[in-house]
Amino acid sequence: MMFELIGGWLQRPNYIAFVLLFLWGIYIMVTRYNLVKKLIGMYLMQTSVIFFLVTTSAKRDATVPILLSTTEIIQPEVYANPLPHVLTLTAIVVGVATLGVSLALADAIYKKYGSLDEEEILKRME
């Protein structure tokens, strides 16, 4: 049972890459005190989710979901599902916006407290 599970994971290396990137991002966010390094971890997590959506939405020999003829019968197995692609675009836009706002906040924090270290900022706030 366990070997079948591991064998199934090895047949899909994209899942392993997704999990490793996601966990690496969480590790960086939790263990680092520097705010920019935390943002790098957050961006790594976002990138792993985008990677997961892109790799799971790939369909061999599929075409774009645009109907060229209205007279032919629609065969859904021929077309690629557009939902993962739309979610990927949304995730990219949200990720860039989140990163931009976060960097602006980190800049404001640095200007006010003179440091990006989380513990040092908390000491200066007291």
Side-chain angles (χ1 to χ4, degrees):
M1 179 72 176
M2 186 68 173
F3 292 115
E4 293 175 7
L5 185 65
I6 292 173
W9 288 348
L10 292 177
Q11 290 177 353
R12 296 186 173 122
N14 57 334
Y15 291 171
I16 295 172
F18 160 71
V19 169
L20 289 177
L21 283 173
F22 194 84
L23 291 177
W24 191 21
I26 288 176
Y27 175 77
I28 290 172
M29 285 183 65
V30 171
T31 60
R32 305 294 181 219
Y33 292 108
N34 188 308
L35 295 180
V36 174
K37 290 180 181 176
K38 286 182 179 282
L39 292 177
I40 291 171
M42 181 184 75
Y43 190 73
L44 200 58
M45 286 176 50
Q46 291 173 343
T47 303
S48 70
V49 172
I50 292 169
F51 175 75
F52 178 74
L53 289 172
V54 168
T55 57
T56 56
S57 67
K59 188 176 180 183
R60 191 177 300 270
D61 298 329
T63 184
V64 292
I66 297 174
L67 298 178
L68 298 177
S69 172
T70 57
T71 58
E72 295 179 13
I73 298 173
I74 298 172
Q75 298 173 344
E77 65 271 4
V78 176
Y79 298 106
N81 186 359
L83 184 62
H85 303 288
V86 173
L87 288 174
T88 301
L89 281 175
T90 304
I92 291 170
V93 170
V94 170
V96 168
T98 304
L99 187 64
V101 170
S102 301
L103 286 173
L105 287 173
D107 183 49
I109 289 171
Y110 181 75
K111 286 178 182 173
K112 183 168 184 173
Y113 296 103
S115 176
L116 289 174
D117 187 70
E118 186 179 3
E119 290 185 343
E120 203 169 308
I121 292 169
L122 290 174
K123 285 180 186 174
R124 291 180 184 179
M125 288 177 70
E126 294 175 355

